[in-house]
Amino acid sequence: MRDGVRLACRDWGEPGQQPIVLLHGLAGHAGEWDVLARRLSSRYRVVAVDQRGHGASERHPRDVSRAAYVADVIAVVDQLALQRPVLVGQSLGGHTAMLTAAARPGLVRALVLVEAGSGGPHPNGPVDIGGWLASWPTPFPSRETAAAFLGGGPVGAGWAAGLEERDGGWWPRFDRDVMVRSLAENAQRSFWHEWTQVACPTLVVLAQSSFIPAQEADEMLRQRPATIAMSIPGTGHDLHLEQPGILHTALSGFLEGLA
């Protein structure tokens, strides 16, 4: 609990191991990381967070500012006594991880951004995402139907795994308006200053069909040239669902190289 908001986590591994905190993207859920987390848990303590407004955490938080998301990560780290965790985040979860590393440099050992960048401004982002979420034909009659609608394959299955069964169908475990409000700050401004304040080792993993504009990725590397960057062929924005094995290999190599 932080400031009256319930935060749910999935926790693998044992206390005393190097901790890794996994943060899903907008409208996602902690279960998206299950395959990766199981592979990592033999060597690391892995904690995947249902962020506020998502999954089993508080569904209608009053505050969905970037600062609130960051404070939640810090609370999880503090309450679970995670010593200098590595933060790994996909999409908006990566943005949250980046802001956390910038705000609390002594807290974070390393940062991994999966299909995430410095962020903003994206004036059309909330409208576009809101329209996409409104297009979901909910309730879905089954998880299989939902998985097919949400792209099929491991991506569709990953999204469908976040649904809940109630009232004769399968529904999202989030509120569309909460999701749209969560994007408000990213629509209005950029976060280049925060990116330059990140002091820890950083790995950026992008998809071949990336949501991150090439010029944004180039500028990130120009501003922080020590950043390690890679692209995974044949993947899209949800590469953590498409290729968890390749991501595990990349992440393991990065972690083993930390001082």
Side-chain angles (χ1 to χ4, degrees):
M1 298 291 294
R2 187 190 77 77
D3 196 24
V5 173
R6 180 187 68 256
L7 298 171
C9 302
R10 299 185 182 209
D11 193 350
W12 294 262
E14 300 295 333
Q17 295 175 309
Q18 166 66 52
I20 299 174
V21 176
L22 303 174
L23 302 172
H24 62 75
L26 187 81
H29 60 102
E32 294 179 25
W33 297 108
D34 281 359
V35 174
L36 179 65
R38 280 193 289 267
R39 295 187 182 203
L40 289 169
S41 61
S42 62
R43 296 189 59 184
Y44 303 96
R45 181 179 180 185
V46 185
V47 176
V49 183
D50 271 331
Q51 295 174 81
R52 60 174 51 215
H54 298 76
S57 293
E58 176 64 42
R59 181 160 178 162
H60 295 100
R62 175 185 54 83
D63 187 356
V64 289
S65 65
R66 296 279 68 217
Y69 277 87
V70 168
D72 288 347
V73 176
I74 295 170
V76 168
V77 171
D78 288 346
Q79 291 189 31
L80 297 183
L82 305 178
Q83 297 298 315
R84 295 196 69 217
V86 175
L87 300 186
V88 180
Q90 188 262 347
S91 196
L92 192 68
H95 193 257
T96 301
M98 184 267 288
L99 295 181
T100 305
R104 293 286 298 274
L107 186 77
V108 179
R109 184 181 185 196
L111 173 67
V112 180
L113 304 183
V114 181
E115 270 292 286
S118 55
H122 300 294
N124 296 327
V127 173
D128 291 344
I129 293 296
W132 177 62
L133 296 176
S135 76
W136 291 21
T138 52
F140 294 101
S142 67
R143 268 189 170 155
E144 291 73 21
T145 303
F149 174 82
L150 294 167
V155 171
W159 280 87
L163 302 174
E164 63 179 353
E165 187 177 19
R166 58 179 171 84
D167 302 329
W170 291 84
W171 299 83
R173 289 192 297 168
F174 57 78
D175 183 89
R176 173 185 170 275
D177 291 342
V178 172
M179 299 298 98
V180 172
R181 288 193 293 115
S182 294
L183 292 174
E185 290 178 62
N186 291 62
Q188 296 168 4
R189 73 177 185 92
S190 63
F191 293 81
W192 288 112
H193 173 72
E194 289 83 354
W195 170 245
T196 62
Q197 297 307 298
V198 175
C200 63
T202 302
L203 170 67
V204 176
V205 184
L206 300 178
Q208 180 177 344
S209 300
S210 179
F211 273 27
I212 308 303
Q215 59 268 31
E216 180 177 328
D218 289 345
E219 181 63 16
M220 289 172 67
L221 296 179
R222 190 192 70 79
Q223 292 194 13
R224 293 189 58 221
T227 300
I228 301 170
M230 63 178 294
S231 176
I232 299 180
T235 56
H237 190 55
D238 292 313
L239 67 85
H240 63 303
L241 296 172
E242 294 176 307
Q243 295 290 350
I246 296 177
L247 181 58
H248 172 256
T249 299
L251 184 55
S252 296
F254 174 68
L255 294 174
E256 289 167 6
L258 296 177

